[in-house]
Amino acid sequence: MMSRMVERFLPSNDPIKESVLEWTVERDAKDVIKLLNWVNETQSFREKKAMILLIKDLIDELQMAIDELAKLQ
């Protein structure tokens, strides 16, 4: 799981949702990094464009997960 910078005094109202959201952030961030590396390595502009669309979708999902996590805190 993602390490936390600050521990809270009170637990989340929904620890399962929080755990899923943290996992989503961690997984999506790793996938974005992987895709960014692949964009740099591929020669095909069609593949680059497809990867950039996937990166945009993952970033949207990351933003949603972070927003939801902020609501739990």
Side-chain angles (χ1 to χ4, degrees):
M1 264 308 133
M2 180 191 298
S3 64
R4 294 184 184 191
M5 299 284 286
V6 178
E7 289 295 322
R8 285 179 277 146
F9 292 111
L10 298 173
S12 168
N13 290 338
D14 193 344
I16 294 171
K17 181 177 180 179
E18 182 177 18
S19 179
V20 169
L21 290 168
E22 287 174 348
W23 177 84
T24 300
V25 168
E26 184 176 345
R27 186 210 58 211
D28 286 355
K30 286 179 182 178
D31 288 348
V32 166
I33 291 167
K34 195 180 299 183
L35 284 166
L36 285 170
N37 287 326
W38 291 348
V39 166
N40 190 42
E41 295 171 3
T42 189
Q43 300 297 315
S44 165
F45 288 109
R46 174 180 262 160
E47 288 177 13
K48 287 180 189 283
K49 198 169 189 172
M51 285 183 224
I52 289 170
L53 291 174
L54 288 172
I55 291 166
K56 286 180 179 181
D57 288 343
L58 287 168
I59 290 173
D60 288 344
E61 187 173 77
L62 268 166
Q63 183 65 57
M64 181 277 310
I66 290 169
D67 289 346
E68 290 297 313
L69 277 169
K71 291 176 188 176
L72 293 175
Q73 312 256 324

